[in-house]
Amino acid sequence: MTALTRVRRRPVDTSPLKSDVPGGTKPVSLAVEHRLVGSLIPAASNARTHSPKQVQQIAASIKQFGFNNPILLDAQHRVIAGHGRLLAAKKLGMAMVPTVCLAHMTEAQTRAYRLADNRLAELSDWDPELLAIELGELSKLDLDFDLGLIGWDTAELDQLIVLPDAAEAEDEAAEDIPLQPAAVAVSRLGDLWTLGSHRLLCGDSTALVSVQTLLGGELAQMVFTDPPYNVPIQGHVSGLGVHRHREFAMASGEMTVAQF
């Protein structure tokens, strides 16, 4: 990925045939050429932004799979498409990257294509069933890389990968769960429930004594919390279902901004 020699590959004609374009278009041969990263000029008018997280993802993909998508340039070596890949190459410390020069384009065509290259890709969609099957099959393979390299994080992959046998088993398990009869709450403030190796306290999490009672002298290693945000349950998180949650004991919309 960091070769310092200039390499030329055999030109590949990727343009459409004359008969494919109304009015006829002269075929253009596009050659992949490795150029110094420092010689490429990001377009000042590039409206596409790249977060540090995305650049890191692109860099990880390049490191694993190689730089397989050349950066597109105009005649002045300004980037038309591939700003994210250029940032990733710099992050990896690469000296040279593969490029394709679209010198046959006019200035207007270049500016328009810079937008089209990104926007047209956004307009595509995923087939959820085929995507689940493909991701599911990939997850079963003995991969020598993290599946997260393809762009979805672990939580997203867990949601997207729905294997038929797992989904069927989950449905069967759900049918076996008995319905809970309506009952009056029996837990009172201060009650400490022991659930195997777990402890559940009915108390005020803002009170130090509650935390000390729950932890029993131990220190917490991790906390998962979903505190009230001074908004009422009804109309915000209650949904439209039959079951309705009670309001929080505090911070359910009764405080002013200053008090909260």
Side-chain angles (χ1 to χ4, degrees), residues 21 25 28 74 78 80-81 102-117:
V21 182
T25 300
V28 177
D74 63 13
R78 292 176 298 187
I80 298 176
L102 305 182
H104 62 284
M105 281 189 172
T106 65
E107 178 67 19
Q109 289 176 325
T110 296
R111 295 178 64 178
Y113 186 70
R114 183 176 292 119
L115 298 175
D117 180 71

Side-chain angles (χ1 to χ4, degrees), residues 2-237:
T2 58
L4 299 179
T5 57
R6 172 171 286 191
V7 179
R8 282 186 177 274
R9 297 180 182 176
R10 180 179 300 175
V12 178
D13 186 1
T14 60
S15 61
L17 299 176
K18 274 190 175 182
S19 58
D20 293 335
V21 182
T25 300
K26 182 179 179 180
V28 177
S29 294
L30 302 179
V32 176
E33 182 175 0
H34 282 73
R35 299 179 184 273
L36 291 170
V37 170
S39 68
L40 307 186
I41 307 171
S45 60
N46 177 44
R48 192 70 167 175
T49 60
H50 300 278
S51 67
K53 178 181 178 180
Q54 190 206 13
V55 173
Q56 177 59 43
Q57 290 174 321
I58 298 174
S61 177
I62 292 175
K63 188 174 181 179
Q64 177 63 44
F65 306 117
F67 207 121
N68 302 314
N69 192 1
I71 296 175
L72 304 184
L73 308 173
D74 63 13
Q76 286 74 42
H77 294 183
R78 292 176 298 187
V79 178
I80 298 176
H83 287 84
R85 296 191 292 281
L86 178 58
L87 291 172
K90 292 179 178 179
K91 186 177 185 64
L92 291 172
M94 297 178 63
M96 306 188 76
V97 291
T99 67
V100 171
C101 183
L102 305 182
H104 62 284
M105 281 189 172
T106 65
E107 178 67 19
Q109 289 176 325
T110 296
R111 295 178 64 178
Y113 186 70
R114 183 176 292 119
L115 298 175
D117 180 71
N118 288 292
R119 178 55 180 164
L120 294 179
E122 292 177 344
L123 298 178
S124 64
D125 209 342
W126 295 97
D127 183 309
E129 294 183 2
L130 291 178
L131 178 60
I133 292 174
E134 184 69 9
L135 290 174
E137 291 179 352
L138 278 174
S139 66
K140 292 180 178 180
L141 298 178
D142 185 18
L143 303 177
D144 60 352
F145 58 88
D146 184 355
L147 195 56
L149 285 175
I150 62 178
W152 288 281
D153 57 32
T154 303
E156 292 172 327
L157 289 172
D158 289 341
Q159 293 179 342
L160 290 170
I161 299 176
V162 182
L163 302 178
D165 52 350
E168 184 177 350
E170 184 176 347
D171 292 338
E172 293 178 355
E175 294 176 358
D176 294 336
I177 299 177
L179 296 177
Q180 296 295 326
V184 178
V186 298
S187 185
R188 297 183 179 182
L189 190 66
D191 284 352
L192 177 64
W193 297 86
T194 300
L195 311 172
S197 60
H198 303 282
R199 293 157 65 91
L200 178 65
L201 176 73
C202 178
D204 181 1
S205 61
T206 65
L208 179 60
V209 64
S210 297
V211 179
Q212 292 173 333
T213 301
L214 176 63
L215 296 181
E218 299 291 334
L219 294 178
Q221 293 180 311
M222 186 176 294
V223 174
F224 297 90
T225 178
D226 182 23
Y229 294 96
N230 200 35
V231 294
I233 291 294
Q234 300 302 321
H236 289 83
V237 296

